[in-house]
């Protein structure tokens, strides 16, 4: 008898064989050294089973528990673990399984299987269970099952403590006698400590059993336990530890959280080419073993056709001997497969295998010759049914073994059609064609054209380095080729290769490649030269060296205008606009952006799809020029176009541009959504600088979306800065600079200064983008003040004002005003500081930068309060907080709540100290005397933390930011009416 005292934690030999048999039902295979498969994420279910067992031990609670779930969901594995726990409690555990079919007509088959666990010694030492076993195992009486059912139930009622757990698996296949016995036990629950644990598949449960279980649940004698899919974390941690995170996520999605399919897919995808029909894969395939020839053929055909499978197509793909099967044969096979729950009805009369992972696992186990033949039949059947070439292509590529021009043409057409939506698949189809294309002179032109198309698809799929290598091979192979078409193809390859080099941050390589092509004799035709110059200019711009190409770009613009090449003119104009605004030449940038916008707005979306990068440059130019309305309009149009046309590089950058505009104009929630999508797209494309820049923009938006001081913000910004590594391009520099916004000034001002000075090259940040430099100088000013370096802060603020004035950009001018306002506040000049901050707010209003307006107003509040203008402070605070709250800027809302103006106190004290409480005035006086925090705490019998909290409130109420400033204020305003501050 399998009790805890007798067996400990070890399963009996019969238990092991029973578990092995249960694997064929579709649950877990055994892989652990202890003989049990991994169990993940079922703690709650086990706890509930434990609770039911405890209740039955006391003679209470439901007499049975019904465990249900999809095939492979882990029913058998859960019951195996529960059996171990039950034995630890001292209960006798017997496990049986209903067979797939009862060939000899044996009644009570799962009960007979369960009592086979009792060996001769068990029967000798436990007479009650021995008698029960004899009742179950005895031959059927002529009168039928009724008498035996009642006798078995009565014998179960005499089971002594510590009790019996009777586990019956795969009950959907139970014989009628077993169903009758279960029904009786549920209608007449025994008072003995017996728990009946039933496991079944709902879809295959016969009506009689389902009805009995439903009645029992209504009566309270049955508890239900439905197993849900596992979470990604449970699967990755408990079922197949060690998988790469991305692969684990893919497998979880494909398996839909089903443990058996998860383990089978993990095995199949990590051992490709080895036909791993072992472990969980063998468990799944074993369920197909009893199928007849017609049913097996139908299953294979459905696996090949996927979601296109219909009864009509199946008659063509399946075989009955050497000929296609008839509709009648297929119909009968589908009915049998449905009875076994191997197939299910899909939409529009289609037929699906019960789980989407089954086709991959089934086809992976077939021999390659048979699998290729199935795909050939599927392609022919789909062609006969008029299916589009994109649906036939997956079968054509798997069936092809030799060069066939017709098949190659179809695959090339399919790749063209699907390239925008699925560039990776398009690249694979084109690669298959190239792999079969004969290496003969008559095919060289075709090979070059297909290679270029594949390289473009690879780049769009994020396989940038692979695309670049293919393009290098193509360019090298075209040396010395003649003819206009070859010249155009070579130039196109150079353009695409330079773009990929730029994306990889390899600016010198892109420069050399483009220079060589521009200097080649004879040179490219004029329109192609325009494209080369634009890409060369982009290379210089992203390498922060635009002045080097300014003259050549201007000459090319004149040439494109003379040719009346609107597309080329728009390309050059958008490049010029972004280059000039980057360098701070805003007047020239405005003129170029205005002309580029006029041309671009006249393009249809179809034409614009070929100029996606131009729209990126235009949108960013307008954003830097603070034309937020037109920037948003162009970014929004570009995002929609890039999605439709499959332009992921442009999509990522347009999303960033739109996020930047939404942030500044006070729509933080939308900005965060777009920044996160951009980062996701960038990660699929690779490229450290793009990922780092996208992450930095997201961190900046996150700064405003999260509460003040949220540690996730700094972590995100640090990750973005680390991603760009040692790169020195425009994006990399910006990613490092944006980290300065995320580091709290009051906690680590030296880190902020270090970040900015290192990225900017010197104290004037001369290496940074001139049109954004005043904003970064404002941050540098705040860091200097927080570090106690007033002279450095004054120098940085004056530099910000000098840099902002010639730009003519209100937001940058506002940043310079805020920088100077911070200096004035630190000096103890609140009225002048308030004027500087409110001037910054007015600048922000003129350009629609709502977020900057709110920030400026909230900085003005304590200065207005300190200067004695309480009503104005309250009005400014209300507007600033309202703008922050409406825009979803949680950080600014928190700042507002910390700077809420305090009504003046009528306590006889004067000046800016009037707003302080008596304790705050007392602490201020001691600080002015030069006492340290610890000394003040000792003098007043307070904790140092309490003193620091009081000092922080004093700073906020008075507008000063340092102990020196507070001491100066106390000296000036420390008496009122002849009364001492501390008196």
């Amino acid at each position: 008898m399998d009790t805890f005292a007798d067996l400990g934690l070890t399963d009996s030999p019969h238990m092991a064989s029973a578990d092995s048999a249960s694997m064929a039902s579709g649950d877990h295979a055994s892989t652990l050294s202890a003989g049990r498969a991994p169990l993940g994420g079922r703690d709650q279910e086990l706890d509930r089973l434990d609770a039911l067992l405890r209740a039955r031990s006391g003679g209470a609670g439901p007499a049975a528990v019904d465990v249900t779930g999809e095939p492979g969901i882990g029913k058998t594995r859960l019951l195996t673990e529960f059996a171990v726990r039950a034995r630890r409690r001292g209960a006798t555990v017997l496990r049986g399984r209903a067979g797939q079919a009862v060939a000899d007509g044996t009644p009570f088959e799962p009960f007979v299987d369960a009592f086979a666990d009792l060996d001769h010694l068990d029967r000798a030492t436990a007479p009650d269970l021995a008698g029960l076993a004899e009742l179950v195992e005895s031959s059927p009486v002529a009168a039928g099952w009724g008498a035996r059912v009642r006798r078995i139930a009565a014998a179960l009622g005499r089971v002594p403590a510590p009790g019996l757990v009777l586990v019956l698996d795969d009950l959907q296949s139970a014989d009628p006698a077993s169903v009758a016995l279960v029904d009786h036990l549920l209608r007449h629950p025994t008072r003995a400590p017996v728990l009946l644990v039933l496991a079944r598949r709902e879809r295959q449960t016969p009506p009689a059993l389902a009805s009995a279980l439903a009645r029992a649940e209504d009566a309270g004698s049955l508890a239900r336990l439905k197993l849900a899919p596992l979470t990604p974390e449970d699967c990755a941690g408990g079922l197949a530890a060690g998988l790469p995170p991305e692969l684990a996520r893919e497998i979880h999605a494909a398996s839909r959280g089903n443990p058996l399919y998860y383990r089978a897919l993990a095995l199949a995808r990590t051992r490709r080419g080895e036909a791993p029909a072992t472990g969980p894969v063998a468990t799944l395939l074993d369920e197909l073993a009893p199928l007849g020839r017609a049913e097996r053929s139908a299953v294979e055909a459905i696996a090949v056709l996927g979601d296109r499978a219909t009864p009509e197509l199946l008659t063509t793909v399946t075989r009955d001997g050497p000929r296609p099967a008839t509709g009648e044969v297929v119909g009968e096979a589908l009915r049998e497969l449905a009875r076994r729950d191997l197939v299910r009805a899909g939409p529009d009369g289609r037929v699906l295998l019960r789980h989407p992972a089954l086709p991959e696992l089934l086809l992976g186990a077939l021999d390659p010759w048979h699998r290729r033949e199935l795909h050939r039949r599927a392609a022919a059947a789909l062609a006969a049914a008029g299916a589009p070439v994109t649906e036939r292509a997956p079968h054509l590529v798997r069936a092809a073994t030799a060069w066939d021009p017709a098949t190659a043409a179809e695959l090339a057409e399919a790749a063209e059609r699907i390239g925008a939506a699925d560039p990776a698949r398009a690249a694979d189809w084109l690669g298959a064609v190239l792999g079969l294309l004969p290496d003969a002179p008559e095919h060289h032109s075709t090979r070059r054209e297909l290679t270029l198309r594949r390289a473009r698809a690879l780049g769009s799929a994020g396989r940038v380095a692979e695309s670049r290598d293919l393009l290098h091979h193509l360019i090298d192979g075209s040396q010395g080729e003649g003819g206009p078409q070859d010249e155009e193809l070579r130039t196109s390859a150079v353009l695409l290769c330079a773009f990929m080099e730029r994306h990889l941050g390899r600016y010198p390589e892109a420069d050399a490649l483009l220079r060589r092509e521009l200097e080649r004799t004879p040179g490219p035709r004029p329109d192609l030269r325009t494209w080369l110059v634009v890409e060369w200019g982009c290379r210089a711009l992203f390498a922060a060296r635009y002045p080097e190409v300014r003259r050549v770009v201007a000459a090319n613009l004149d040439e494109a205008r003379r040719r009346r090449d609107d597309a080329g003119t728009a390309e050059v104009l958008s490049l010029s606009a972004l280059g000039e605004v980057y360098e701070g030449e805003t007047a020239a940038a405005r003129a170029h952006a205005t002309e580029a916008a006029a041309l671009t707005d006249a393009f249809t979306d179809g034409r614009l799809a070929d100029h996606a990068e131009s729209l990126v440059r235009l949108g960013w130019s307008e954003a830097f020029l603070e034309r937020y309305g037109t920037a948003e309009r162009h970014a929004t149009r570009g995002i929609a176009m890039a999605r439709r046309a499959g332009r992921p590089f442009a999509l990522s950058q347009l999303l960033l541009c739109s996020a930047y505009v939404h942030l500044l104009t006070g729509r933080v929630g939308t900005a965060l959504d777009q920044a996160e999508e951009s980062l996701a797209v960038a990660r699929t494309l690779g490229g450290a600088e793009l990922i780092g820049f996208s992450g930095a923009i997201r961190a900046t938006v996150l700064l405003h979306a999260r509460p003040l001081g949220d540690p996730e913000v700094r972590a995100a910004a640090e990750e973005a800065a680390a991603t760009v590594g040692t790169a020195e391009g425009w994006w990399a520099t910006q990613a490092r600079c944006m980290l300065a916004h995320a580091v709290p000034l009051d906690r680590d001002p030296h880190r902020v200064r270090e970040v900015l000075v290192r990225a900017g090259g010197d104290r004037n940040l001369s290496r940074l983008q001139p049109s954004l430099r005043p904003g970064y100088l404002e941050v540098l000013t705040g860091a200097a003040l927080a570090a106690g370096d007033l002279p450095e802060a004054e120098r940085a603020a004056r530099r910000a004002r000098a840099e902002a004035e010639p730009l003519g950009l209100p937001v940058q001018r506002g940043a310079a005003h805020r920088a100077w306002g911070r200096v004035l506040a630190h000096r103890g000049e609140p009225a002048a500081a308030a004027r500087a901050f409110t001037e910054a707010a007015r600048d922000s209003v003129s350009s629609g930068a709502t977020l900057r307006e709110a920030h400026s107003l909230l900085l003005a509040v304590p200065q207005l309060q300190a200067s004695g203008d309480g009503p104005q402070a309250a009005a400014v605070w209300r507007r600033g907080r309202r703008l922050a709250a409406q825009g979803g800027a949680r950080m600014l809302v928190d700042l507002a709540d910390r700077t809420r103006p305090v009504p003046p106190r009528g306590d006889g004290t004067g000046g800016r100290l009037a707003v302080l409480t008596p304790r705050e005035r007392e602490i201020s006086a001691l600080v002015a005397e030069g006492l340290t925090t610890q000394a003040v705490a000792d003098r007043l019998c307070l904790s140092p933390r309490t003193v620091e909290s009081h000092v922080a409130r004093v700073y906020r109420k008075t507008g000063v930011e340092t102990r020196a400033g507070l001491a100066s204020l106390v000296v000036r305003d420390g008496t009122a009416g002849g009364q001492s501050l501390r008196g």
Side-chain angles (χ1 to χ4, degrees):
M1 183 165 52
D2 296 349
T3 61
F4 173 64
D6 294 333
L7 298 176
L9 302 183
T10 305
D11 290 325
S12 70
H14 182 80
M15 283 294 297
S17 64
D19 289 345
S20 298
S22 69
M23 293 174 194
S25 69
D27 287 298
H28 275 5
S30 178
T31 59
L32 297 184
S33 59
R36 296 191 297 275
L39 178 69
R42 297 299 186 199
D43 291 342
Q44 292 184 351
E45 291 85 349
L46 283 169
D47 290 343
R48 188 172 181 208
L49 288 171
D50 286 344
L52 290 169
L53 178 59
R54 287 195 298 271
R56 288 306 297 164
S57 299
V65 56
D66 178 34
V67 181
T68 59
E70 287 286 310
I73 202 67
K75 300 183 293 296
T76 300
R77 180 64 189 90
L78 175 70
L79 298 186
T80 300
E81 192 69 24
F82 173 60
V84 173
R85 290 192 177 199
R87 291 191 193 99
R88 289 174 180 169
R89 295 178 57 85
T92 298
V93 180
L94 303 178
R95 295 187 62 181
R97 173 178 173 266
Q100 296 288 349
V102 186
D104 59 359
T106 302
F108 306 110
E109 193 229 4
F111 292 90
V112 172
D113 189 42
F115 279 95
D117 277 348
L118 296 174
D119 59 21
H120 295 296
L121 178 61
D122 295 332
R123 293 171 187 256
T125 56
D128 292 309
L129 288 179
L132 183 56
E134 291 176 2
L135 276 174
V136 170
E137 296 166 353
S138 62
S139 301
V141 296
W145 307 316
R148 282 181 62 190
V149 165
R150 289 189 292 272
R151 291 170 62 192
I152 293 171
L156 282 171
R158 295 191 293 272
V159 171
L164 171 67
V165 176
L166 195 55
V167 179
L168 304 180
D169 205 351
D170 283 340
L171 205 63
Q172 74 278 351
S173 301
D175 59 276
S178 297
V179 173
L181 178 54
V182 169
D183 184 26
H184 183 88
L185 293 173
L186 293 175
R187 285 187 291 108
H188 307 286
T190 176
R191 296 182 180 179
V194 176
L195 179 64
L196 196 62
V197 183
L198 314 174
R200 63 187 176 91
R201 299 180 182 180
E202 286 186 282
R203 284 177 174 267
Q204 294 174 266
T205 301
L209 178 58
S211 177
L213 296 174
R215 287 194 301 270
E217 183 183 19
D218 292 342
S221 60
L222 177 77
R224 299 276 195 182
L225 183 59
K226 185 175 180 65
L227 300 190
L230 298 180
T231 66
E233 295 73 22
D234 288 334
C235 285
L239 300 181
L243 287 177
E246 184 176 353
L247 179 59
R249 286 191 295 270
E250 290 177 3
I251 292 176
H252 181 269
S255 69
R256 296 182 177 178
N258 185 298
L260 180 60
Y261 288 99
Y262 185 94
R263 293 177 57 230
L265 287 171
L267 182 64
R269 294 187 182 184
T270 53
R271 299 185 185 179
R272 291 193 183 276
E274 298 180 19
T278 59
V281 180
T283 300
L284 287 166
L285 299 181
D286 189 51
E287 193 171 358
L288 306 180
L291 297 180
R293 180 174 180 174
E295 290 80 15
R296 178 70 184 229
S297 182
V299 166
E300 291 174 353
I302 296 169
V304 168
L305 288 167
D307 59 7
R308 281 287 314 207
T310 63
E312 293 76 19
L313 286 174
L314 292 175
T315 61
T316 305
V317 179
T318 57
R319 291 282 178 177
D320 184 8
R323 299 179 180 179
T326 64
E328 183 179 352
V329 170
V330 169
E332 183 61 33
L334 290 177
R335 282 189 287 274
E336 175 61 19
L337 293 172
R339 187 186 70 79
R340 293 175 176 270
D341 193 29
L342 282 167
V343 301
R344 296 174 183 176
D348 302 325
R350 302 187 182 190
V351 183
L352 303 173
L353 294 180
R354 73 175 177 220
H355 194 283
L358 260 179
E360 176 183 341
L361 297 168
L362 174 59
L363 294 176
L366 296 180
D367 68 74
W369 301 275
H370 182 47
R371 184 168 59 243
R372 189 175 298 120
E373 172 61 18
L374 287 173
H375 281 295
R376 187 194 64 76
R377 293 183 206 162
L382 288 168
V389 68
T390 51
E391 293 189 10
R392 303 197 306 272
H395 305 291
L396 291 171
V397 77
R398 289 175 174 86
T401 57
W403 171 249
D404 175 50
T407 299
E410 288 190 289
L411 286 173
E413 180 187 351
E416 183 69 24
R417 292 189 185 184
I418 205 174
D422 193 347
R425 178 172 291 192
D428 291 342
W429 291 348
L430 291 169
V433 175
L434 286 166
L436 296 174
L437 183 65
D439 189 10
E442 62 266 26
H443 296 297
H444 284 180
S445 178
T446 300
R447 180 176 295 279
R448 287 194 292 271
E449 180 185 349
L450 291 176
T451 299
L452 179 61
R453 289 175 57 185
R454 183 166 189 261
R456 185 173 289 111
L458 286 170
S460 295
R463 295 153 67 177
V464 179
E466 191 176 348
S467 171
R468 167 193 170 275
D469 292 344
L470 195 61
L471 289 164
H472 275 216
H473 180 73
L474 178 59
I475 294 168
D476 290 340
S478 64
Q479 298 287 353
E481 299 286 350
Q485 288 185 335
D486 291 324
E487 289 296 317
E488 181 176 349
L489 187 141
R490 174 191 167 82
T491 302
S492 297
V494 168
L495 279 167
L496 185 58
C497 188
F499 178 87
M500 297 302 168
E501 297 279 23
R502 171 160 62 90
H503 179 74
L504 292 169
R506 296 164 57 94
Y507 302 117
E509 289 82 354
D511 179 54
L513 193 64
L514 291 164
R515 281 179 182 272
R516 184 178 67 175
E517 190 68 13
L518 285 167
E519 295 169 358
R520 194 163 54 88
T521 303
R525 68 173 191 254
D527 60 327
L528 293 178
R529 179 178 176 82
T530 296
W531 291 96
L532 289 167
V533 169
V534 168
E535 180 56 42
W536 189 47
C538 287
R539 186 278 319 167
L541 178 59
F542 279 82
R545 303 178 72 170
Y546 181 74
E548 295 178 0
V549 301
R550 180 182 277 141
R551 182 182 57 80
V552 177
V553 169
N556 203 257
L557 176 59
D558 293 339
E559 182 184 338
R561 284 171 171 158
R562 283 195 303 271
R563 293 197 323 270
R564 299 183 182 277
D565 179 2
D566 289 349
T569 300
E571 288 276 354
V572 183
L573 283 169
S574 64
L575 169 64
S576 299
L578 188 55
E580 298 300 349
V581 75
Y582 177 93
E583 294 296 332
E585 301 295 335
T586 50
R590 287 191 187 96
H592 291 318
T594 300
E595 187 178 354
L599 289 171
T600 300
D601 289 344
F603 293 162
T604 64
D605 284 356
R607 190 179 184 190
L608 194 58
D610 295 328
H611 306 278
E613 290 289 318
S614 177
L615 198 58
V616 170
R617 295 191 293 270
L618 176 59
W620 274 112
S621 298
E622 292 169 331
F624 290 147
L625 288 169
E626 300 174 10
R627 295 177 171 180
Y628 299 127
T630 55
E632 181 181 351
R633 178 168 61 82
H634 286 131
T636 300
R637 184 187 179 192
I639 289 168
M641 177 273 298
R643 292 191 201 280
R644 289 194 303 270
R647 300 289 188 268
F649 293 97
L651 176 61
S652 176
Q653 296 172 59
L654 287 163
L655 283 166
L656 277 186
C657 178
S658 185
Y660 180 76
V661 170
H662 276 81
L663 174 66
L664 290 180
T665 53
R667 291 166 290 174
V668 178
T670 303
L672 185 58
D673 291 341
Q674 292 179 327
E676 290 182 337
E677 184 183 355
S678 174
L679 180 57
V681 175
R683 283 174 172 155
T684 66
L685 295 172
E689 287 194 86
L690 177 59
I691 295 174
F693 182 54
S694 301
I697 292 283
R698 175 186 174 272
T700 301
V701 179
L702 201 65
L703 171 69
H704 293 85
R706 294 296 177 84
L708 192 64
D710 189 326
E712 184 182 346
V713 174
R714 180 169 182 176
E718 294 277 10
E719 180 183 357
T723 299
V724 300
T726 59
E728 296 294 337
W730 175 14
W731 282 345
T733 301
Q734 288 296 317
R736 295 189 190 95
C737 287
M738 290 182 191
L739 172 59
H741 291 287
V743 178
L745 283 176
D746 57 340
R747 298 180 190 173
D748 200 353
H750 298 289
R751 169 72 168 149
V752 176
R753 292 178 68 179
E754 175 195 9
V755 165
L756 287 174
V757 172
R758 180 174 296 179
D762 53 37
R763 293 192 307 159
N764 293 327
L765 311 183
S766 55
R767 201 164 62 189
L768 299 188
Q769 180 176 342
S771 53
L772 295 180
R773 197 179 293 152
Y776 289 121
L777 286 166
E778 178 197 355
V779 179
L780 190 62
T781 300
L785 290 172
D789 192 345
L790 181 59
E792 174 60 17
E794 291 177 341
R795 188 204 62 78
R798 289 192 179 94
R799 183 75 184 185
R801 297 170 75 181
E803 294 269 1
E805 192 58 36
L807 291 175
L809 299 175
V811 171
Q812 294 303 312
R813 190 166 56 242
H817 284 312
R818 285 193 301 274
W820 190 244
R822 292 176 186 274
V823 170
L824 293 171
H826 189 88
R827 287 177 177 175
E829 303 177 34
R835 286 193 296 273
F837 290 134
T838 52
E839 184 64 28
R842 280 192 289 272
D843 283 329
S844 302
V845 171
S846 67
S847 61
T850 306
L851 191 80
R852 297 291 182 243
E853 178 191 356
H855 189 198
S856 301
L857 291 173
L858 294 174
L859 290 175
V861 169
Q863 306 308 318
L864 290 167
Q865 177 88 9
S867 62
D869 195 347
Q872 181 65 12
V876 167
W877 180 86
R878 284 193 297 270
R879 176 169 174 78
R881 192 186 189 285
R882 177 171 57 80
L883 291 175
Q886 289 175 345
R890 175 66 186 276
M891 184 266 283
L892 292 182
V893 170
D894 287 355
L895 177 63
D897 292 343
R898 294 188 182 188
T899 59
R900 188 185 190 104
V902 180
R905 297 171 59 90
D907 56 4
T909 62
R912 292 164 60 188
L913 301 176
V915 297
L916 304 183
T917 65
R919 174 65 83 183
E920 289 166 353
R921 291 197 301 276
E922 184 177 27
I923 290 175
S924 298
L926 294 175
V927 168
E929 293 175 11
L931 272 66
T932 64
T933 296
Q934 186 62 56
V936 174
D938 294 341
R939 177 82 61 89
L940 302 178
C941 299
L942 300 173
S943 70
R945 178 170 295 186
T946 299
V947 172
E948 287 292 346
S949 297
H950 281 297
V951 171
R953 284 195 290 272
V954 169
Y955 287 167
R956 188 174 69 246
K957 291 179 180 181
T958 61
V960 299
E961 299 180 0
T962 64
R963 287 174 175 257
L966 179 59
S968 176
L969 182 63
V970 168
V971 170
R972 291 199 309 269
D973 300 341
T975 59
Q979 186 179 19
S980 141
L981 178 68
R982 294 178 57 199

